[in-house]
Amino acid sequence: MKKKIMAVFGTRPEAIKMAPLLKALQAKENYELIITVTAQHREMLDQVMSLFKLKADYDLDIMRDRQTLSGLSARIIKKLDGILSQENPDLLLVHGDTSSTFIGALTAFYNQVDIAHIEAGLRTHNKYSPFPEEMNRQLTGVLADLNFAPTLRARKNLLLENTSESKIFVTGNTVIDALLSVVDKNYIFENELLKNFDYKNKKLILLTAHRRENLGQPMENIFKAVRDLTEQISNLEVIFPVHLNPVIRELSKKMLADNKQIHLIEPLDYLPFANLMARVDLVLTDSGGIQEEAPSLAKPVLVLRDTTERPEAVEAGTVIKIGTEYNDIYQQSLKLLTDSKEYNKYAAAVNPYGDGKAVKRIIQALDYHFNYSSKRPADFRCN
Ligand code: UD1
Ligand code: UDP
């Protein structure tokens, strides 16, 4: 008898990180996979679905312009409930810390469906940072029956919360599986700017910013620092694929659009984005996923956040948690871009988050859970 697994997700990063696992599950004979997208994101989700040739069985289509957390959560639970009770899967798969993740898990709990949580156990222990992701992830963890922790530290966090050891598998992060499948040193960009860019003679910063807790003054500080850096370094250019959140689009246009060294572009498809990341000098970001990807591409990262649930690369020395104060961002970027000794200190490739085999371990753990195999997979260890 096949086991029925339903994956529920809704945003760009969830789709990127789930894609390699979903493809692998589709190829297995002992599983029936049902894909339900909340479409908490619309265009940014569709890009990833199309790149990985994934098709949703159910599409809740809940995104609204400037959606609120309560509004989007209410729409997900209302639409997902009927689908879950009708399909009654053996397991629900969710990933990470978005509202689709937590509300997906909550709806599964109400339907008494078991839950597997991928990328479990990351913590800042600060309720409001990242907001609302820290609590989304903690609450999903409380509900989960299986926890796929990417690192030993994440496992430790779960154990400290009395999660049973038998429910935790250390798998590495599927983001590295995805990244390895798309980065290619001979990749040719379709985008004219990226195709013709003088990567050799120019300094290049890749900027991304979207966190809810950074909207307002923190984002203004970030944009001002970047603008002033281009005034200080004449061969510096900045590429900023602007998130589709209209609040960010308005502010970035107002503060950065008239600067010729700063290129505000549409969100990139994952394939060009990952390959661009492999070619830039420095990454400035408040993203979670990019903090995991850039270190394995040997790119120094300044994390534009006061907290991080991903301290492994900070400890490994490629990521600096710089925060959102103007002066800190400006000074540290300037130092990295003008002092090669300082730069080389941070530009080493490290892989604390995975080895590209997370999907394999997750499938082994599922096989073990469903008694298809009696062998528990060995934990991922980064060293
Ligand atoms: C969400 C997640 C966040 C994740 C981020 C990844 C929550 C609460 N937040 O934040 O954890 O890091 O996705 O990008 O789950 N929009 C579009 N088209 C899109 C996507 C977004 O127009 O394809 C606009 C809409 O106006 C939407 C707004 O962006 O209302 C915000 O989207 P939302 O998913 O609520 O928050 P994010 O900031 O994207
Ligand atoms: N990404 C992308 N195109 C972009 C910006 C980011 O494909 O224009 C990818 C990036 O490589 C990473 C993921 O999207 O895998 C991160 O998404 P985001 O920063 O929106 O969310 P977070 O990781 O913070 O939840």
Side-chain angles (χ1 to χ4, degrees):
M1 260 276 277
K2 286 190 181 202
K3 294 291 177 188
K4 193 192 269 192
I5 296 186
M6 184 186 286
V8 173
F9 56 98
T11 65
R12 168 175 66 193
E14 290 165 87
I16 290 170
K17 291 170 163 183
M18 274 216 183
L21 175 61
L22 302 182
K23 300 300 283 180
L25 281 172
Q26 279 172 339
K28 300 273 294 180
E29 279 184 354
N30 43 357
Y31 295 106
E32 176 192 352
L33 177 70
I34 298 174
I35 298 179
T36 299
V37 297
T38 64
Q40 173 178 336
H41 286 174
R42 185 71 276 170
E43 302 88 335
M44 284 159 55
L45 172 76
D46 294 346
Q47 282 179 1
V48 185
M49 297 295 281
S50 128
L51 170 68
F52 288 99
K53 299 189 174 54
L54 289 167
K55 207 176 151 313
D57 297 289
Y58 296 97
D59 187 331
L60 311 189
D61 199 25
I62 59 109
M63 192 189 88
R64 299 290 178 274
D65 197 29
R66 296 166 203 258
Q67 59 204 1
T68 63
L69 295 174
S70 304
L72 84 94
S73 302
R75 289 193 294 283
I76 295 171
I77 204 164
K78 200 167 164 203
K79 291 197 170 177
L80 184 58
D81 191 57
I83 296 169
L84 264 175
S85 72
Q86 185 191 316
E87 288 285 353
N88 193 26
D90 296 294
L91 191 73
L92 182 99
L93 268 185
V94 285
H95 182 285
D97 62 6
T98 72
S99 293
S100 292
T101 309
F102 167 51
I103 302 299
L106 183 65
T107 318
F109 167 65
Y110 288 160
N111 284 275
Q112 298 191 16
V113 169
D114 282 354
I115 298 155
H117 187 200
I118 309 165
E119 205 187 70
L122 282 63
R123 296 287 184 268
T124 62
H125 297 114
N126 180 334
K127 188 172 167 183
Y128 289 108
S129 181
F131 173 77
E133 289 83 4
E134 173 68 10
M135 291 316 292
N136 279 346
R137 201 187 296 267
Q138 285 199 29
L139 294 164
T140 306
V142 173
L143 296 169
D145 300 279
L146 291 176
N147 299 273
F148 300 131
T151 65
L152 287 171
R153 178 188 297 260
R155 174 179 186 269
K156 194 167 159 207
N157 288 337
L158 292 167
L159 291 174
L160 287 171
E161 292 167 11
N162 293 326
T163 308
S164 154
E165 212 173 341
S166 65
K167 291 178 163 186
I168 310 172
F169 297 83
V170 185
T171 61
N173 199 311
T174 57
V175 76
I176 305 298
D177 301 42
L179 188 70
L180 295 179
S181 76
V182 296
V183 171
D184 173 359
K185 65 178 186 335
N186 299 317
Y187 179 79
I188 297 171
F189 295 98
E190 280 173 24
N191 176 303
E192 288 299 316
L193 167 71
L194 305 181
K195 192 173 171 182
N196 301 320
F197 195 84
D198 183 0
Y199 293 95
K200 225 165 161 192
N201 297 310
K202 302 242 179 192
K203 299 265 182 206
L204 184 55
I205 287 181
L206 174 62
L207 169 67
T208 83
H210 74 275
R211 299 233 83 82
R212 280 175 190 257
E213 66 272 20
N214 278 349
L215 299 179
Q217 191 61 50
M219 212 162 280
E220 287 186 28
N221 297 345
I222 295 167
F223 293 170
K224 183 170 177 339
V226 165
R227 209 178 54 196
D228 290 356
L229 281 165
T230 60
E231 269 161 35
Q232 188 63 29
I233 309 176
S234 60
N235 68 339
L236 173 66
E237 306 225 359
V238 178
I239 295 183
F240 180 11
V242 187
H243 196 281
L244 291 180
N245 187 330
V247 183
I248 299 160
R249 294 180 85 80
E250 279 158 20
L251 186 67
S252 57
K253 200 165 163 209
K254 189 170 127 207
M255 291 186 66
L256 305 174
D258 62 348
N259 184 315
K260 292 211 163 35
Q261 287 164 261
I262 301 178
H263 308 277
L264 303 181
I265 60 173
E266 292 303 313
L268 285 167
D269 282 1
Y270 182 54
L271 194 60
F273 185 84
N275 282 289
L276 175 62
M277 199 164 28
R279 292 181 202 190
V280 301
D281 295 291
L282 177 64
V283 179
L284 301 190
T285 189
D286 63 7
S287 162
I290 296 169
Q291 279 179 66
E292 295 159 340
E293 293 164 337
S296 83
L297 299 170
K299 299 300 165 185
V301 182
L302 297 190
V303 173
L304 308 164
R305 295 168 50 175
D306 297 325
T307 61
T308 181
E309 64 283 56
R310 295 168 166 92
E312 292 88 344
V314 178
E315 284 159 12
T318 58
V319 168
I320 304 174
K321 182 168 67 63
I322 198 74
T324 56
E325 293 299 332
Y326 165 84
N327 213 33
D328 297 335
I329 301 167
Y330 178 82
Q331 293 300 346
Q332 188 63 53
S333 305
L334 191 63
K335 208 157 141 196
L336 284 167
L337 291 168
T338 54
D339 177 344
S340 58
K341 218 166 141 202
E342 179 76 5
Y343 183 85
N344 291 334
K345 242 169 58 188
Y346 292 98
V350 295
N351 290 302
Y353 299 111
D355 56 359
K357 294 182 187 148
V359 166
K360 193 171 155 204
R361 291 190 191 90
I362 291 173
I363 291 196
Q364 285 170 347
L366 290 172
D367 285 349
Y368 177 72
H369 172 74
F370 285 119
N371 288 322
Y372 289 138
S373 154
S374 56
K375 198 164 164 254
R376 202 179 205 279
D379 284 345
F380 163 68
R381 282 164 199 274
C382 75
N383 292 317

